[in-house]
Amino acid sequence: MLRNDVPITPELVKSHGLKPDEYQRILDLIGREPTLTELGIFSAMWNEHCSYKSSKKWLKTMPVSGPRVIQGPGENAGVVDIGDGQAVIFKMESHNHPSYIEPYQGATTGVGGILRDVFTMGARPVACMNALRFGEPDHPKTKHIVSGVVAGIGGYGNSFGVPTVGGEVNFHPRYNGNCLVNAMAVGLADTDKIFYSKAEGVGLPVVYLGSKTGRDGVGGATMASAEFDDKIEEKRPTVQVGDPFSEKLLLEATLELMKTGAVVAIQDMGAAGLTCSAVEMGAKGDLGLELNLDAVPCREPGMTAYEMMLSESQERMLMVLHPDKRAAAEAVFRKWGLDFAVVGYTTDTLRFVVKHHGEVMADLPIKELGDQAPEYDRPWVAAAKRPVIGAGDVPAVDIADALEKIIATPDMCSRRWVWEQYDHLIQGNTAQRPGGDAAVVRVEGTRKGLGISCDVTPRYCEADPFEGGKQAIAEAYRNLSAVGALPIAVTDNLNFGNPEKPEIMGQFVGCVQGISQACIALDFPIVSGNVSLYNETNGQAILPTPAIGGVGLMADVEQMATIALKPADEAIVLIGATEGWLGQSIYQREFAGREEGAPPPVDLASERRHGEFVRGLIEQGRIATVHDLSDGGLAVAVAEMAIAGKRGARVEASGQIADHAYFFGEDQGRYLIAAPRAVAEAVVAEAVAGGIPAAIIGSVGGSELQLGASRAILVSKLHHQHEAWFPAYMSQEL
């Protein structure tokens, strides 16, 4: 058992993730040696995961406002107006470190935590997404991690009753020692019924809501702010344990509670648990807070103040209550079988006081706990520019042979094995299932729809962080535009290695600058997000992975486009310019064995112009088949359209660009459209008149796909090749 009077040694300080100069900062701030509980509180509030001490300087430069933005970063989730008195509330967060240590529980609690962020603000969750990165398939841990993470996401989301409607799954050796599990949740609320975490009023009760506190997850936020080494298994006790059925009760109880008028402020207990939620609520309101830990519902006997303050047990929330509404509020939670306990009250002292068994275990300045956290301007170096890779620098392979290989690779094959383990239809509002450019969810009771997408290309970000950051936003913008949704706002999850290394910090800075420029150019503000640093094991960092969650709005969900080819004899139109960019391409990786050169540049003005043009066509009801071009270029895009529609197609070669560059180049800002020939010809004429490159490049029909002069491939064969890898891989013995 951890006592409060243990001596604070340099070793103890180090074990709490605090550097000597940071500990000296604590001594200077409080004028004495901290108690063990206070040391734990500082370690929770000042770690990277909670304080953003290495990233805050750069996060402040990002565009976070816009005409639709009701609440930007700084709350549990972002809030965006979608008209008719409604708002969409969403956020993305990481559970990378816990998921590598204990894949099932790490992923489960990642989903649970992001759902609480959304419904804490008064929204009913309507969709989840995730962005997953795993090590190379042959690595001895990869299959175990994939299996556990997918099962954890499905197990929590399915039981809770929210559809998981899409996401990303990719493999790369750089994730061998650190998988990435980024979870995104989207909810809907009335704009006049949104709840915030800022405490207001002196002498008001602070109420603990939800499940009991245990010892699981103690020190989890500190663990998530450090590199891994060979002693990783020792960190297993810091992983939280989730219960989706308790979370479902908590959701219903919370939304019912909010109708009583009892809530002054409410906060999810996420990273650093009771500590972070209490301090943030009080500090935001310029108030003090006093907690009595004797009143905290515990599920394990003999828990100390240190353990209770740092526990990350799941399915818990903290609320400031209107005193005259206490009986009504408590009745709601008792009805749902959940704990409701007054554990403290607000004060005007600006102190954070924690008592246990009548003793003061912590007495700290509440504003300084957050505001005086270290904020670093880390040294950084920009990534060196890489050379442009020409078509002649990459071997030319027969187009049909190349396509058959690429669509069967781990990164490019169908993810059906993954998403079929998720309930993507529950609630009955999923209008577009996984497998397309973006998910589409109906806004119940209206004709509106929400488009949702997760995007990033980490190899681009490593080759050129600035262009890679731009491309992540641009691809989210394209994916939403391709289904007919107006991109309205972004959440992000910025995953990087050790920021104390100038080259890693340079990746972070470059990506943030690129993301910011793209968001401004595309009117696509960032309203929430998360930073996950120290994703390294034994000095090997992950690829820079700034995952982007984009949300879009469509006026009529029935007008949405899909990727599937439809009636025969339609013409295929390519929107956007093609130069045959092979640097950092999937083709180069598969047939030259390299990830080299500069990534494709992103012309943001063209992205916007092309996106607006395509959305306009969809909104007018003139086209129903659209696919954006990304990994694998034109050949992979048309193959995916053919497979989805179970129809053949023929696409002509360029005649001016080498076939392998034309069909597999990853030039940006491009879409494929299929439409009746008369419509296609009119679309091309309108595009060209508006300065948008466009051309009819092929036609739909038959049962085979033929690209240029290469041999034709049966679409049924492509379908089998595309679907085969994941089930075969996961069916092998672990």
Side-chain angles (χ1 to χ4, degrees):
M1 184 181 295
L2 294 166
R3 304 188 323 274
N4 207 44
D5 58 352
V6 299
I8 307 301
T9 63
E11 293 74 25
L12 189 61
V13 170
K14 183 178 180 181
S15 72
H16 281 73
L18 293 164
K19 292 182 166 51
D21 61 320
E22 292 174 335
Y23 181 64
Q24 184 60 51
R25 191 184 188 113
I26 292 170
L27 297 178
D28 295 342
L29 178 63
I30 66 175
R32 57 177 171 79
E33 184 178 89
T35 66
L36 177 64
T37 300
E38 289 173 334
L39 182 68
I41 289 170
F42 273 109
S43 78
M45 293 300 301
W46 286 14
N47 66 55
E48 197 74 58
H49 194 76
C50 294
S51 74
Y52 295 90
K53 57 190 176 186
S54 295
S55 58
K56 194 182 300 182
K57 169 190 166 83
W58 298 102
L59 296 179
K60 291 174 183 176
T61 67
M62 301 179 92
V64 297
S65 60
R68 290 183 179 270
V69 177
I70 296 173
Q71 174 64 54
E75 268 293 341
N76 286 298
V79 185
V80 181
D81 194 325
I82 60 169
D84 306 309
Q86 292 178 300
V88 59
I89 299 180
F90 60 98
K91 190 180 183 184
M92 184 188 291
E93 281 213 346
S94 61
H95 238 221
N96 304 335
H97 287 61
S99 298
Y100 189 77
I101 298 168
E102 215 308 304
Y104 183 89
Q105 291 297 345
T108 283
T109 49
V111 174
I114 200 64
L115 286 168
R116 284 196 304 281
D117 281 338
V118 166
F119 72 74
T120 298
M121 298 199 69
R124 181 170 290 277
V126 296
C128 280
M129 271 202 166
N130 48 76
L132 311 178
R133 265 40 189 218
F134 302 110
E136 58 190 331
D138 291 339
H139 188 273
K141 288 199 71 168
T142 297
K143 193 184 306 173
H144 165 71
I145 294 173
V146 172
S147 178
V149 165
V150 171
I153 290 169
Y156 206 97
N158 298 354
S159 301
F160 178 83
V162 64
T164 300
V165 293
E168 290 191 299
V169 182
N170 288 102
F171 299 85
H172 195 282
R174 292 278 290 280
Y175 303 103
N176 282 349
N178 283 86
C179 66
L180 299 186
V181 176
N182 295 174
M184 177 179 176
V186 180
L188 290 167
D190 293 338
T191 54
D192 60 351
K193 297 181 180 67
I194 295 167
F195 292 82
Y196 298 96
S197 59
K198 178 183 175 181
E200 297 181 273
V202 175
L204 299 186
V206 176
V207 181
Y208 174 114
L209 306 168
S211 298
K212 290 178 167 53
T213 294
R215 291 187 171 94
D216 53 319
V218 172
T222 300
M223 174 272 292
S225 304
E227 291 183 39
F228 284 156
D229 54 28
D230 293 330
K231 297 180 180 179
I232 186 173
E233 289 300 320
E234 296 176 7
K235 300 181 185 293
R236 189 174 297 274
T238 62
V239 177
Q240 312 92 326
V241 178
D243 179 355
F245 300 105
S246 293
E247 179 116 333
K248 174 64 172 174
L249 297 176
L250 183 60
L251 163 71
E252 300 300 342
T254 300
L255 295 183
E256 186 175 335
L257 169 73
M258 289 169 170
K259 295 176 183 177
T260 67
V263 179
V264 175
I266 191 164
Q267 174 76 35
D268 163 46
M269 284 196 222
L274 187 55
T275 289
C276 199
S277 57
V279 170
E280 286 186 1
M281 290 177 79
K284 283 180 182 177
D286 292 323
L287 296 169
L289 215 68
E290 183 166 318
L291 295 180
N292 174 21
L293 299 187
D294 297 348
V296 171
C298 294
R299 66 168 183 260
E300 299 181 49
M303 288 191 68
T304 65
Y306 178 95
E307 291 169 330
M308 280 187 267
M309 293 306 296
L310 297 189
S311 167
E312 293 185 9
S313 294
Q314 297 293 285
E315 293 85 42
R316 302 180 302 158
M317 295 160 74
L318 203 63
M319 171 182 70
V320 176
L321 172 77
H322 283 295
D324 58 334
K325 303 281 188 179
R326 173 175 173 170
E330 184 167 0
V332 169
F333 268 73
R334 299 300 182 200
K335 181 184 83 172
W336 288 98
L338 296 168
D339 280 301
F340 180 103
V342 175
V343 296
Y345 56 92
T346 59
T347 70
D348 60 2
T349 64
L350 290 178
R351 305 290 295 181
F352 183 51
V353 179
V354 179
K355 295 181 178 178
H356 192 215
H357 300 324
E359 294 184 32
V360 174
M361 312 304 283
D363 186 350
L364 299 168
I366 197 166
K367 295 284 285 186
E368 287 79 355
L369 266 174
D371 295 348
Q372 294 300 312
E375 183 175 334
Y376 296 119
D377 184 1
R378 301 276 191 200
W380 60 278
V381 293
K385 290 293 181 183
R386 303 196 186 192
V388 173
I389 300 293
D393 299 320
V394 184
V397 176
D398 177 80
I399 300 305
D401 291 345
L403 176 61
E404 288 187 281
K405 178 177 180 180
I406 286 174
I407 66 165
T409 61
D411 265 355
M412 300 301 293
C413 70
S414 168
R415 271 75 178 111
R416 185 182 302 274
W417 179 90
V418 175
W419 58 258
E420 283 193 340
Q421 297 188 55
Y422 306 150
D423 190 334
H424 48 275
L425 297 176
I426 196 167
Q427 297 187 14
N429 290 314
T430 304
Q432 189 161 158
R433 302 181 183 193
D437 283 323
V440 179
V441 177
R442 295 181 185 88
V443 177
E444 191 167 347
T446 76
R447 297 185 65 85
K448 293 183 293 191
L450 296 174
I452 312 167
S453 182
C454 287
D455 300 283
V456 66
T457 309
R459 64 184 187 279
Y460 291 178
C461 294
E462 174 148 279
D464 187 328
F466 182 71
E467 286 296 326
K470 284 166 59 181
Q471 192 273 342
I473 293 292
E475 187 170 347
Y477 184 88
R478 279 199 307 276
N479 280 328
L480 295 171
S481 296
V483 298
L486 171 68
I488 57 173
V490 166
T491 184
D492 60 31
N493 207 137
L494 309 178
N495 307 275
F496 292 82
N498 184 347
E500 297 169 48
K501 297 178 179 178
E503 66 275 15
I504 300 293
M505 196 65 206
Q507 291 175 349
F508 180 86
V509 172
C511 284
V512 166
Q513 291 175 332
I515 288 169
S516 297
Q517 185 176 105
C519 287
I520 291 168
L522 300 174
D523 283 342
F524 206 17
I526 298 166
V527 297
S528 59
N530 172 246
V531 178
S532 176
L533 302 177
Y534 294 96
N535 289 289
E536 294 199 13
T537 296
N538 292 325
Q540 176 66 66
I542 62 165
L543 292 174
T545 311
I548 300 299
V551 172
L553 177 66
M554 57 183 68
D556 186 351
V557 73
E558 298 301 325
Q559 294 278 41
M560 72 176 183
T562 66
I563 72 169
L565 293 178
K566 297 175 181 72
D569 303 322
E570 287 196 335
I572 298 173
V573 177
L574 176 61
I575 303 288
T578 299
E579 296 179 1
W581 196 281
L582 290 175
Q584 297 298 326
S585 66
I586 293 290
Y587 181 92
Q588 181 203 45
R589 188 176 75 187
E590 293 302 319
F591 299 106
R594 305 190 302 268
E595 293 179 0
E596 292 182 356
V602 178
D603 182 329
L604 294 170
S606 294
E607 288 283 1
R608 180 164 186 160
R609 193 162 56 249
H610 299 179
E612 289 174 346
F613 180 70
V614 169
R615 287 198 309 275
L617 296 173
I618 297 171
E619 290 166 3
Q620 294 159 22
R622 297 170 66 190
I623 59 173
T625 304
V626 183
H627 194 8
D628 93 303
L629 275 67
S630 55
D631 281 350
L634 173 58
V636 168
V638 75
E640 290 172 341
M641 296 170 80
I643 291 168
K646 299 180 181 178
R647 295 183 183 274
R650 180 182 180 89
V651 176
E652 302 297 333
S654 160
Q656 298 177 324
I657 301 171
D659 282 0
H660 66 300
Y662 177 70
F663 282 111
F664 295 102
E666 296 181 5
D667 306 82
Q668 299 295 293
R670 299 185 298 162
Y671 301 80
L672 281 178
I673 292 169
R677 183 159 291 272
V679 174
E681 290 172 349
V683 164
V684 170
E686 291 170 29
V688 173
I692 297 172
I696 294 176
I697 62 167
S699 59
V700 180
S703 59
E704 297 177 322
L705 178 63
Q706 184 163 11
L707 304 178
S710 185
R711 63 181 169 83
I713 314 168
L714 281 168
V715 172
S716 58
K717 181 183 180 185
L718 283 173
H719 178 266
H720 173 74
Q721 292 167 324
H722 190 51
E723 295 286 347
W725 185 84
F726 237 116
Y729 175 69
M730 296 308 298
S731 66
Q732 298 169 15
E733 291 294 326
L734 286 172

